[in-house]
């Protein structure tokens, strides 16, 4: 069972949660002065329209016609399935639905914001977008967006991932992007980390620092971020707006579930539904799932921190493990970022969204069951949402409740098979950190 929509149902506007938040967001701080960030300084890093959107309190922002056309080209609207075989295998009275963002041509939700960001940069006359990528999905999406909109793309890819997922690099190069393993010799911060360790495995925080340093020395370049920021989460709301329309063909969901790295795919599905709850029109439950190896939501502290390892980004008030927190490569499940979207942090503080964390072997086991029943191999990140949905369906069974569960399958895992191979061979260890820099540990 599935619901598909015609191109004409691609949403015409994105939903911006800022005016509906239970409390106003704390402003981003200038890393040099600790004073609220001057918008002019942000303009040197991001395309102008994105800076406006970042601070906008308009509830809806129109999606440019060109971006909607490109959404159709890359596979929007994406399908929404009912996981009937998984329900049977679990013997649960719950009904499980999932929105499948892996159906886009790049295989994840990241293209939804990549196209928007590239569009506004191109409109402004910018020539090049520079970014980082961890697992590779964001770099892939931005590379394609650059190709479709006529912009150069340069990607700093965490070195461990660059070595583990060589085909990601191939795809980015096919789309016309330059790809460098990070830390690299190309930047001051990259050289600093390489001096510490010539085989440094890199990480998202370091790659972000390299990308920003590179942008700051090239006036025709801007930086693009794949998660965390308000405008990025807003672009992703096409997921939830479509899903609302699609669930009308079935039934009202009770519980909405997503995995969380920086928060963008979760927000993309959930925020249009969160709006109804904040307005008192519905009482959906929201569950946000993360790995125990990077437990930002469940063990992080809520305070100002940098978005990158080098301390170049504005400081944001968010749940954080500390910007120097580092997840070792033994963790194969992705979602390694130390921080969290400020809007999602606020919703967690107010009890609107409930976070949970799982060990990676449990997550891969859930993905294996999903693969055998529904046929789709989830991205390891998305597998956290699968695990969350299965956990919820099992609880519904124990309590004999007919619950309606909707989760976001944010991407497929066809380029992440090394992690699955290690899981099948029993080589994955459940990693649980004891100390976090944000807690002084
Ligand atoms: C990047 C990514 C994530 C994590 O990032 P969010 O911003 O939290 O969505 C999750 N799933 C997939 C498939 C991704 O590519």
């Amino acid at each position: 069972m599935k619901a598909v929509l015609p191109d004409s149902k691609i949403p015409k506007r994105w939903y911006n949660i800022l005016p509906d938040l239970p409390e106003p967001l704390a402003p981003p701080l200038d890393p040099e002065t600790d004073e609220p960030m001057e918008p002019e300084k942000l303009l040197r890093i991001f395309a102008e329209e994105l800076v406006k959107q970042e601070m906008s309190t308009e509830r809806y922002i129109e999606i440019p016609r060109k971006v909607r056309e490109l959404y159709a080209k890359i596979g929007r609207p994406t399908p929404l399935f009912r996981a009937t075989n998984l329900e049977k295998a679990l013997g649960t009275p719950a009904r499980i639905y999932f929105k499948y963002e892996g159906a886009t041509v790049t295989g994840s939700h990241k293209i939804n914001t990549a196209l928007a960001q590239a569009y506004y940069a191109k409109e402004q006359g910018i020539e090049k977008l520079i970014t980082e990528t961890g697992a590779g999905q964001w770099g892939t999406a931005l590379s394609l967006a650059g190709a479709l909109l006529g912009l150069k793309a340069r990607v700093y890819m965490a070195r461990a991932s660059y070595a583990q997922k060589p085909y990601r690099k191939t795809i980015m190069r096919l789309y016309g992007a330059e790809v460098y393993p990070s830390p690299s010799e190309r930047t001051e911060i990259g050289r600093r980390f390489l001096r510490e360790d010539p085989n440094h495995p890199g990480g998202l925080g370091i790659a972000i620092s390299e990308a920003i340093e590179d942008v700051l020395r090239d006036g025709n370049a801007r930086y693009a971020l794949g998660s965390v920021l308000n405008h990025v989460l807003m672009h992703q709301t096409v997921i939830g707006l479509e899903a609302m329309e699609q669930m009308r063909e079935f039934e009202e969901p009770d519980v909405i579930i997503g995995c969380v790295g920086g928060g963008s795919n979760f927000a993309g599905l959930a925020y249009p539904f969160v709006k109804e709850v904040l307005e008192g029109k519905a009482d959906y439950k929201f569950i946000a799932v993360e790995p125990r190896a990077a437990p930002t939501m469940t063990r992080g502290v809520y305070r100002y921190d940098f978005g990158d390892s080098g301390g170049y980004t504005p400081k944001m008030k968010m749940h954080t493990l500390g910007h120097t927190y580092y997840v070792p490569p033994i963790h194969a499940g992705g979602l390694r970022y130390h921080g969290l979207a400020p809007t999602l942090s606020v919703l967690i503080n107010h009890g609107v969204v409930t976070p949970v964390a799982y060990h990676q072997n449990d997550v891969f086991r859930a993905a294996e069951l999903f693969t055998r029943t529904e046929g789709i191999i989830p991205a390891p990140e998305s597998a956290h949402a699968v695990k969350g949905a299965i956990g919820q369906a099992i609880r519904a069974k124990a309590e004999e409740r007919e619950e309606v569960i909707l989760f976001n399958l944010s991407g497929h895992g066809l380029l992440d098979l090394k992690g699955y191979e290690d899981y099948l061979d029993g080589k994955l260890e459940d990693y649980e950190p004891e100390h976090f820099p944000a807690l002084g540990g």
Side-chain angles (χ1 to χ4, degrees):
M1 283 165 94
K2 68 172 181 291
V4 289
L5 298 173
D7 289 6
S8 60
K9 291 283 187 180
I10 291 173
K12 296 193 169 59
R13 347 180 262 181
W14 293 297
Y15 167 57
N16 176 20
I17 201 167
L18 250 59
D20 294 326
L21 281 179
E23 68 177 80
L25 277 191
L29 299 184
D30 190 318
E32 283 160 20
T33 62
D34 266 353
E35 293 293 319
M37 192 79 187
E38 302 279 350
E40 294 73 49
K41 276 198 167 175
L42 290 172
L43 294 176
R44 187 55 199 87
I45 303 177
F46 297 101
E48 187 174 349
E49 181 60 29
L50 299 172
V51 173
K52 282 194 197 142
Q53 291 184 358
E54 187 63 18
M55 293 177 295
S56 171
T57 49
E58 294 285 318
R59 187 165 285 117
Y60 291 99
I61 291 183
E62 194 184 329
I63 305 177
R65 194 173 51 88
K66 173 82 180 164
V67 174
R68 291 182 72 232
E69 282 168 16
L70 290 172
Y71 278 169
K73 192 175 288 297
I74 57 85
R76 303 217 73 78
T78 55
L80 183 143
F81 291 88
R82 180 166 163 200
T84 47
N85 285 353
L86 176 63
E87 291 168 14
K88 279 195 205 96
L90 296 171
T92 177
R95 292 183 290 281
I96 307 174
Y97 297 85
F98 63 93
K99 178 72 166 158
Y100 185 39
E101 288 297 298
T104 66
V105 295
T106 55
S108 86
H109 66 288
K110 296 269 181 10
I111 192 72
N112 300 329
T113 184
L115 288 171
Q117 294 192 42
Y119 170 81
Y120 291 117
K122 181 72 183 179
E123 287 287 288
Q124 195 184 326
I126 288 157
E127 290 167 8
K128 186 188 290 168
L129 288 176
I130 305 180
T131 196
E132 74 294 328
T133 198
Q137 282 117 333
W138 170 239
T140 304
L142 198 76
S143 300
L144 175 59
L148 293 176
L149 283 148
L151 286 158
K152 293 192 190 113
R154 178 178 292 160
V155 182
Y156 290 89
M157 183 171 190
R159 187 179 295 271
S161 171
Y162 185 90
Q164 261 175 21
K165 302 184 181 185
Y167 294 136
R168 278 283 172 200
K169 176 187 60 179
T170 310
I171 295 172
M172 289 185 261
R173 290 177 59 206
L174 267 179
Y175 284 145
E178 293 168 49
V179 189
Y180 300 102
S182 165
S184 76
E185 294 284 352
R186 300 175 51 86
T187 64
E188 188 55 45
I189 187 85
R191 289 188 290 272
R192 199 166 92 205
F193 280 103
L194 285 175
R195 269 199 302 278
E196 271 172 29
D197 175 1
N199 297 313
H200 201 295
L204 216 46
I206 298 173
I208 296 174
S209 298
E210 287 206 270
I212 292 181
E213 188 182 320
D214 196 349
V215 163
L216 290 176
R217 62 179 182 221
D218 181 347
N220 292 318
R222 290 293 182 279
Y223 172 67
L225 188 64
S227 187
V228 179
L229 299 176
N230 303 335
H231 67 270
V232 179
L233 272 58
M234 182 187 77
H235 296 154
Q236 294 296 352
T237 57
V238 290
I239 303 171
L241 293 166
E242 286 176 11
M244 265 185 168
E245 187 80 22
Q246 288 165 309
M247 285 305 282
R248 282 202 195 114
E249 293 184 29
F250 299 110
E251 52 193 326
E252 276 273 288
D254 297 307
V255 187
I256 292 155
I257 299 175
C259 68
V260 171
S264 75
N265 87 86
F266 175 85
L269 177 66
Y271 281 10
F273 293 92
V274 168
K275 173 175 182 283
E276 308 275 293
V277 171
L278 294 175
E279 288 174 346
K281 290 182 185 157
D283 58 356
Y284 309 115
K285 193 173 165 191
F286 300 96
I287 301 177
V289 188
E290 68 184 2
R292 291 245 203 143
T296 314
M297 297 183 291
T298 52
R299 295 179 68 191
V301 287
Y302 182 60
R303 64 157 218 217
Y304 272 107
D305 197 5
F306 297 106
D308 64 331
S309 302
Y312 293 163
T313 69
K315 287 187 187 167
M316 288 173 292
K317 198 158 186 196
M318 60 183 176
H319 289 263
T320 179
L321 299 168
H323 66 283
T324 57
Y325 180 66
Y326 168 71
V327 187
I330 183 71
H331 172 71
L335 308 173
R336 322 166 74 92
Y337 191 58
H338 68 271
L340 183 70
T343 55
L344 182 52
S345 296
V346 167
L347 292 173
I348 289 172
N349 289 344
H350 284 260
V352 179
V353 173
T354 307
V356 294
Y358 293 111
H359 275 307
Q360 65 173 343
N361 277 296
D362 292 339
V363 166
F364 277 95
R365 201 169 300 117
E368 185 181 20
L369 176 62
F370 186 80
T371 300
R372 289 185 190 179
T373 51
E374 298 299 325
I376 299 171
I377 301 174
E381 294 86 352
S382 320
H384 289 77
V386 174
K387 171 67 188 166
I390 290 177
Q392 190 67 22
I394 291 173
R395 266 192 300 282
K397 181 180 176 179
E399 297 164 13
E400 297 175 23
R401 263 186 300 113
E402 276 199 37
E403 198 166 61
V404 180
I405 298 167
L406 169 64
F407 75 91
N408 196 4
L409 194 65
S410 52
H412 70 67
L414 292 174
L415 288 157
D416 306 282
L417 296 178
K418 175 74 169 64
Y420 279 101
E421 183 76 6
D422 288 347
Y423 159 73
L424 291 170
D425 290 344
K427 285 188 196 158
L428 287 188
E429 283 170 40
D430 287 338
Y431 171 75
E432 181 132 34
E434 279 165 24
H435 304 291
F436 302 104
L439 301 170

